[in-house]
Amino acid sequence: MHSELVASRSAEQRDSRESRNGTPHPDAVSLAIIEQLQEDGRRPYAAIGKAVGLSEAAVRQRVQKLLDQGVMQIVAVTDPLTVGFRRQAMVGVNVEGDLDPVADALTTMAEVEYVVMTAGSFDILAEIVCEDDDHLLDVINKRIRALPGVRSTESFVYLKLKKQTYMWGTR
């Protein structure tokens, strides 16, 4: 029993070591599973298992662990134009004081798809997907600029999306 517990803990440590900042760091097999899913998020676990040398059950467990740890997500990525969202923009936000409350407030807005704190001209960048220009104006003017701590915003309206991919692999 003790040897099984030790073996189990060691396998868990191997398949998801933590990096210096405390975030999970998947091992080579987990990274190979991620690459398989980046190629095709609907690929069967049995096929992934064959490609990476694990059983279907082992792949299922690893995938669930990667999902639970927030290492990856499995989602359907749409073309916003084809589902009724005609306006996209990147909004640069400058903040007075602590960035966290503003970034946290942005993450709660349904129209905001991406929030990142940055170094440079803007404190925060937020990608926004809206139905039209009036919707975008409402989000920026009445909601983002109204947040306590927001000093200024600058909008970069997308004219044409040339590339959107999530295939950077696991390098």
Side-chain angles (χ1 to χ4, degrees), residues 23-129:
T23 58
H25 184 74
D27 70 355
V29 175
S30 291
L31 293 175
I33 291 169
I34 292 168
E35 287 177 346
Q36 290 283 312
L37 289 168
Q38 282 181 323
E39 288 174 15
D40 179 359
R42 294 176 52 186
R43 184 166 288 156
Y45 291 150
I48 295 170
K50 190 177 234 183
V52 302
L54 292 177
S55 69
E56 178 179 349
V59 170
R60 185 181 325 284
Q61 286 179 325
R62 283 192 184 231
V63 167
Q64 190 58 54
K65 189 170 185 176
L66 292 166
L67 293 168
D68 292 345
Q69 291 175 330
V71 172
M72 69 174 193
Q73 299 175 38
I74 300 174
V75 299
V77 178
T78 61
D79 174 354
L81 292 173
T82 63
V83 292
F85 297 103
R86 305 262 179 248
R87 180 57 66 215
Q88 292 178 271
M90 184 66 68
V91 177
V93 181
N94 285 310
V95 176
E96 288 183 27
D98 189 2
L99 302 181
D100 283 321
V102 175
D104 291 344
L106 290 169
T107 65
T108 67
M109 296 180 188
E111 296 87 353
V112 177
E113 297 298 323
Y114 174 85
V115 175
V116 62
M117 293 182 209
T118 67
S121 299
F122 299 103
D123 297 315
I124 297 172
L125 291 174
E127 184 175 36
I128 300 175
V129 178

